[in-house]
Amino acid sequence: MQVTGAYLPGDSTAVLRVTEVPEPGIGQVVLRVMASTICGSDIRAIYREHLGTGAEAYQNVVVGHEPCGIVAATGPGCKEFTIGERAVVYHISGCGLCPECRRGYMISCTSPRRQAYGWQRDGGMAEYLLAEEKDLVRLPAELTYTDGAQVACGFGTAYEALCKVELSGRDSILVVGLGPVGLATAALARALGAHCIIGIDTVVERVELAKSLGACDEFVEVGDGAGTAVRSLTRDAGVTCAVDCSGSAAGRSLALDASAPRARIALVGEGGELVCRPSPQLMHGQKTVFGSWVTSTWRMQELLERLVDWRLHPGDFVTHRFPLDKVSEAYALMDSGRCGKVAIGFGEELNS
């Protein structure tokens, strides 16, 4: 049977091509995709032009590394998942044997056999997806497929960063950059009990969206006075945690300057530079900076379970949904930056 999949030529367009429904091999499943969301990494490194190298080297495959769906077929040797089960796909298929894979962090797999869905092997912007069973994480019945797609990358990435900084109810937090990952960070910070969540972004529409969603308690304006404004909201102490989702030198510098002594800071946004004066911005304040890249399979499973406990639905942060035949419009909107998360929906998930 033939189906349709989306590809990115690298000239700020998305195109559809006909492909075959895959057959599962040993240890593989075919997933009927129900929802697949668009990641900013796709825009940055694939959509505009093919800039990626190494882990980001696009190999002209079906795009989309945030898929969620139903197991439609299983190959020989599958041990855990059966036909009809709901699953999220961890978007890196690692070797399973290197130290990073054994820790569950297939994102950091050191093997040349490492492949990312939507980058080096077919991803989720198609009706069916061939996946390794070991890459699946079970989706609880209480969550929608769009919830699961959000966890596949954006919410999983945000949760990993918040776990690294050990955010709790004792903390105030500054979220720099209120795109989809920033919104996820703010939402999860609230679920984890942070008593003050402060947001900032250069894009007015993103700030307005964050306000409409109640994502943050306070907002500060971009500019030379941003650090002072953050301190004035925290009794002049500064925030105890900060997460930079902007990937910009200015945003990262603000995270350092607006944080309190002994603050914990996570860098999540891709690209850009980190420019700092180590003594005044880091050492004298005894601050800790974490680099954080995606998450692990076990932490993704933990997050899915916690979302049920918190009654938090990541799908609520999707602002636009498109059918697959409108994928070009979906990517163009995501590229504009004037939206929240954009999803491609299939079947009943399109209008959920």
Side-chain angles (χ1 to χ4, degrees):
M1 183 174 73
Q2 292 186 323
V3 293
T4 303
Y7 297 76
L8 298 180
D11 58 358
S12 296
T13 63
V15 299
L16 294 173
R17 299 176 191 164
V18 173
T19 184
E20 297 291 328
V21 174
E23 292 289 334
I26 297 173
Q28 296 181 323
V29 306
V30 172
L31 201 73
R32 179 188 170 203
V33 179
M34 298 300 293
S36 189
T37 44
I38 300 176
C39 179
S41 293
D42 292 335
I43 301 296
R44 174 180 54 82
I46 305 178
Y47 178 71
R48 297 172 188 151
E49 52 184 318
H50 294 165
L51 296 176
T53 59
E56 292 187 337
Y58 179 59
Q59 299 295 324
N60 195 33
V61 296
V62 175
V63 293
H65 64 264
E66 302 180 347
C68 185
I70 307 166
V71 176
T74 59
C78 287
K79 300 176 181 178
E80 182 66 23
F81 285 83
T82 57
I83 293 173
E85 289 197 89
R86 309 162 82 240
V88 184
V89 180
Y90 184 88
H91 66 271
I92 306 298
S93 188
C95 68
L97 297 172
C98 72
E100 291 302 313
C101 282
R102 289 181 184 274
R103 292 184 177 97
Y105 286 91
M106 293 188 290
I107 181 67
S108 300
C109 175
T110 58
S111 169
R113 297 187 299 276
R114 174 197 190 275
Q115 290 185 314
Y117 292 91
W119 297 74
Q120 293 90 38
R121 62 182 289 169
D122 285 339
M125 292 296 177
E127 297 156 277
Y128 291 91
L129 167 67
L130 179 68
E132 308 300 316
E133 186 192 31
K134 67 178 178 58
D135 301 338
L136 302 187
V137 181
R138 189 166 278 105
L139 178 69
E142 296 87 348
L143 300 179
T144 69
Y145 294 106
T146 307
D147 291 334
Q150 281 273 63
V151 170
C153 185
F155 266 72
T157 296
Y159 187 59
E160 179 75 22
L162 294 176
C163 288
K164 279 190 169 70
V165 301
E166 298 182 332
L167 187 84
S168 74
R170 298 173 297 173
D171 292 305
S172 54
I173 183 171
L174 172 66
V175 181
V176 183
L178 295 172
V181 175
L183 289 175
T185 301
L188 291 171
R190 190 172 301 285
L192 288 164
H195 62 77
C196 181
I197 304 167
I198 303 170
I200 184 170
D201 200 292
T202 59
V203 180
V204 173
E205 289 86 350
R206 286 182 168 179
V207 174
E208 292 304 314
L209 175 61
K211 288 179 178 179
S212 70
L213 292 170
C216 301
D217 300 307
E218 304 285 352
F219 296 87
V220 295
E221 294 185 3
V222 173
D224 293 339
T228 300
V230 171
R231 289 184 175 277
S232 71
L233 294 170
T234 55
R235 300 188 182 91
D236 292 324
V239 290
T240 56
C241 290
V243 177
D244 175 67
C245 303
S246 72
S248 70
R252 289 164 178 162
S253 185
L254 173 63
L256 296 176
D257 289 336
S259 55
R262 287 169 293 281
R264 295 96 64 203
I265 300 131
L267 305 183
V268 170
E270 291 275 11
E273 295 181 342
L274 173 62
V275 180
C276 74
R277 293 165 291 127
S279 292
Q281 287 185 295
L282 282 173
M283 294 160 58
H284 296 174
Q286 303 188 69
K287 301 176 185 181
T288 303
V289 176
F290 296 88
S292 192
W293 193 27
V294 190
T295 190
S296 64
T297 48
W298 63 267
R299 188 154 271 162
M300 182 185 288
Q301 183 68 64
E302 177 182 276
L303 173 57
L304 288 165
E305 294 167 359
R306 295 292 176 272
L307 290 173
V308 175
D309 296 337
W310 294 329
R311 299 181 182 179
L312 176 60
H313 288 276
D316 292 345
F317 292 79
V318 170
T319 57
H320 297 80
R321 299 170 190 260
F322 292 85
L324 185 61
D325 61 5
K326 301 291 185 182
V327 68
S328 183
E329 295 177 28
Y331 272 91
L333 177 62
M334 190 71 182
D335 187 31
S336 75
R338 289 172 166 79
C339 58
K341 197 70 168 180
V342 177
I344 299 296
F346 298 82
E348 66 270 20
E349 196 67 16
L350 177 60
N351 301 309
S352 65

